[in-house]
Amino acid sequence: MKKILVLEDEANIRSFVVINLRRSGYEPIEADTGAAALEKLKVNPDICLALLDVMLPDIDGFEVCRKIRASGSKMGIIMLTAKSQEIDKVTGLMTGADDYVTKPFSPAELTARVDALIRRLGIDEVDGNYEIQSGPFLLNTRNRTLEKNGERLKLTQIEYLLMKLFMENPGRAMSRDDILLAVWGEDFSGEPKTVDVNIRRLRTKIEDDTAEPTYLTTVWGYGYKWGY
Ligand code: CA
């Protein structure tokens, strides 16, 4: 399981984040001060991503970010900023953070950002686990290929990213907005309908019967779910 450092001094926000990361298959490592976070990083060199709150009782989150980068680490860093701290976003990105999430955030938004950053940084590949098996499907994240019953399916990049998102989150209902954010990224200004169009095309490749999808199922009025 991928370890994620959660640096947040407010206990209720921290446990909210921890619960949701755990639910998404990550192993959260908690810290409530900057000093504690740096200590946890020393003890857990395999932490692949850090969520850093900005306002802390000791050193601030940017200082922690700077120290992580100064140590030569290329781990993913997401700053957790308060709404009024617009300027913090800029500072955060300049000190080496990869992304930021503005409080308050939804569990879906947080995990979508974490998943997207892990994918962007290729952390999946680093931990040596290249394959995801689900039912008759085998996804190889190194070659970016998908097989069904041992036969290679030809996918576009978007279809590959959709399959990866779903196979990494079996049984989890995902809204169109979650999917847009995770696959197309935050800069994409397209409509949720884009998701439907691509899912329809993906289904023609993966489903036994597109009229009765059994793998990639519709969650009415919400989005989609990987059925396995
Ligand atoms: Ca705080």
Side-chain angles (χ1 to χ4, degrees), residues 50-115:
L51 296 172
L52 308 178
D53 178 31
V54 176
M55 304 287 278
L56 295 162
D58 55 349
I59 53 175
D60 75 20
F62 295 127
E63 189 56 34
V64 176
C65 178
R66 248 177 252 124
K67 287 202 154 96
I68 292 173
R69 288 297 183 235
S71 74
S73 170
K74 293 189 169 54
M75 78 173 60
I77 298 179
I78 298 176
M79 305 302 298
L80 307 178
T81 68
K83 238 189 176 79
S84 58
Q85 297 166 321
E86 213 66 24
I87 185 76
D88 288 349
K89 294 175 183 175
V90 180
T91 324
L93 296 171
M94 282 169 59
T95 53
D98 298 291
D99 200 359
Y100 59 85
V101 181
T102 308
K103 295 178 197 175
F105 43 80
S106 69
E109 184 184 5
L110 178 74
T111 49
R113 292 294 187 89
V114 168
D115 293 346

Side-chain angles (χ1 to χ4, degrees), residues 172-188:
R172 186 166 139 210
M174 310 233 232
S175 73
R176 289 174 177 80
D177 287 335
D178 292 346
I179 298 167
L180 267 182
L181 185 64
V183 172
W184 280 267
E186 60 183 307
D187 299 329
F188 183 73

